[in-house]
C-alpha cells in the first residue's frame, strides 16, 4: 500500500526566503506526482504535475523535482511571499489513477 | 482541464440525517473520485465511481454509509447517511482531466459538512 510522507509538518519563514518542502513515497510504481495548494476551508489548487518519466517541472517561482527511484520529491519556492501561506499537499497517482496524499506542510510566510 | 462544480459548498446538519452532495463536471469523464478530509487531516479516498457500474469503495468505507450514484459521464452524487459528529469533514469530488496533453487530477471546491 502506497504511503506518502511530508516533512516538515509546519514551516514559518520571513518574507523573501527561499524554501524547500519535502515529500517521500514508499512505492516507486507511480503514474505521476502532483503538488497542490490548499487554503483554509477550501478545495485544492493544482500547482505542478510531474509525470513519472520526468525529473522536474517549473512554474513561476515554483520548481518541483522527482526522484522516482528513491521515492522523493521536493517543492522549491523562491522568494516567498505572504500570499504563499497555505497548506501544501503532495499526492502520487497509481495505475488506477486515484491519489494518495501526504499529510501536508502548513506554510506561513511572515511579512 | 476540467471544471468541477460541487453543491452544497457547506452545510450544518443534525445527527441521524443524511446529506447528498452533488458533483458536476464540464466535460465527460470516465472516473470520478470522492475524497474525505477530516479536520486537521489530509485527504483520504472514499470511493471511485465509474458510469454504469457500482462504485469501488476503499477499506473502511461502505456503501450503506456512503452511497454513490453515477448516472452519466458528467455527474455524480455522494450521500453521507445517518450522520454523526464524526462525519464532520470536507468532502471533495475529483476527476482526471487533460491539461496540455497530460492527464492530471482536478478537484471541486469541496463541501464543508458540520454535524451537530
Amino acid at each position: 500500500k502506497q504511503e506518502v510522507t511530508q516533512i516538515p509538518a509546519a514551516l514559518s519563514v520571513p518574507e523573501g526566503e527561499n524554501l524547500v518542502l519535502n515529500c517521500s513515497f514508499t512505492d516507486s510504481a507511480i503514474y505521476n506526482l502532483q503538488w497542490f495548494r490548499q487554503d483554509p476551508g477550501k478545495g485544492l489548487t493544482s500547482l505542478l504535475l510531474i509525470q513519472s518519466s520526468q525529473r522536474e517541472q517549473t512554474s513561476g517561482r515554483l520548481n518541483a523535482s522527482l526522484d522516482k527511484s528513491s521515492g522523493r520529491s521536493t517543492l522549491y519556492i523562491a522568494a516567498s511571499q505572504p500570499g504563499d501561506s497555505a497548506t501544501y499537499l503532495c499526492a502520487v497517482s497509481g495505475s488506477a489513477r486515484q491519489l494518495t496524499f501526504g499529510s501536508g506542510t502548513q506554510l506561513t510566510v511572515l511579512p | 482541464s476540467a471544471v468541477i462544480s460541487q453543491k452544497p459548498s457547506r452545510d450544518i446538519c443534525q445527527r441521524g440525517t443524511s446529506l447528498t452532495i452533488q458533483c458536476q463536471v464540464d466535460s465527460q469523464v470516465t472516473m470520478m473520485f470522492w475524497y474525505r478530509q477530516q479536520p486537521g487531516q489530509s485527504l483520504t479516498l472514499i470511493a471511485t465511481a465509474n458510469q454504469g457500474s457500482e462504485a469501488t469503495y476503499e477499506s473502511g468505507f461502505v456503501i450503506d454509509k456512503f452511497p454513490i450514484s453515477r448516472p452519466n459521464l458528467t455527474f455524480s452524487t455522494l450521500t453521507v447517511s445517518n450522520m454523526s459528529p464524526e462525519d464532520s469533514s470536507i468532502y471533495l469530488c475529483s476527476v482526471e482531466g487533460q491539461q496540455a496533453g497530460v492527464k492530471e487530477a482536478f478537484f471541486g471546491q469541496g463541501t464543508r459538512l458540520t454535524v451537530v
Side-chain angles (χ1 to χ4, degrees):
Chain A
K1 180 184 175 184
Q2 180 73 270
E3 293 183 3
V4 180
T5 304
Q6 288 186 247
I7 295 173
L11 183 63
S12 183
V13 300
E15 181 176 5
E17 272 205 10
N18 303 324
L19 54 99
V20 175
L21 308 182
N22 296 290
C23 172
S24 61
F25 47 95
T26 55
D27 185 351
S28 62
I30 64 172
Y31 180 72
N32 62 39
L33 183 146
Q34 275 183 268
W35 283 93
F36 294 91
R37 168 187 173 136
Q38 185 176 34
D39 292 286
K42 304 291 187 181
L44 275 65
T45 301
S46 180
L47 297 173
L48 288 166
L49 177 145
I50 309 177
Q51 296 179 77
S52 63
S53 59
Q54 297 176 320
R55 299 282 291 181
E56 68 175 344
Q57 282 288 334
T58 298
S59 176
R61 294 183 293 109
L62 305 179
N63 175 276
S65 67
L66 173 64
D67 184 341
K68 205 173 70 162
S69 61
S70 67
R72 295 179 188 278
S73 176
T74 60
L75 178 67
Y76 176 82
I77 302 176
S80 58
Q81 303 171 358
D84 295 330
S85 298
T87 296
Y88 290 80
L89 295 164
C90 166
V92 296
S93 170
S95 58
R97 303 296 197 267
Q98 72 270 41
L99 295 174
T100 301
F101 283 83
S103 53
T105 294
Q106 187 172 353
L107 173 65
T108 303
V109 181
L110 304 170
Chain B
S1 66
V3 177
I4 301 172
S5 173
Q6 244 185 272
K7 295 179 181 178
S9 58
R10 59 175 59 223
D11 207 342
I12 301 173
C13 300
Q14 297 291 323
R15 68 175 67 202
T17 62
S18 297
L19 176 71
T20 295
I21 302 167
Q22 298 180 4
C23 179
Q24 179 76 51
V25 190
D26 69 343
S27 57
Q28 293 185 339
V29 294
T30 303
M31 291 184 289
M32 297 179 78
F33 305 94
W34 288 98
Y35 291 83
R36 180 178 74 179
Q37 186 177 29
Q38 295 178 298
Q41 305 293 316
S42 191
L43 281 76
T44 301
L45 180 66
I46 298 172
T48 303
N50 293 327
Q51 194 267 335
S53 63
E54 294 272 338
T56 303
Y57 289 83
E58 297 300 304
S59 176
F61 298 96
V62 295
I63 187 172
D64 289 346
K65 176 66 176 177
F66 297 102
I68 288 171
S69 78
R70 184 78 202 275
N72 57 54
L73 291 173
T74 62
F75 187 79
S76 178
T77 67
L78 169 75
T79 298
V80 186
S81 303
N82 188 25
M83 290 183 285
S84 67
E86 291 70 35
D87 294 319
S88 297
S89 298
I90 299 174
Y91 293 85
L92 296 112
C93 169
S94 174
V95 303
E96 184 180 65
Q98 285 227 351
Q99 182 94 313
V102 176
K103 292 183 179 180
E104 67 176 272
F106 294 89
F107 283 80
Q109 285 303 296
T111 296
R112 190 180 191 94
L113 171 61
T114 303
V115 184
V116 297

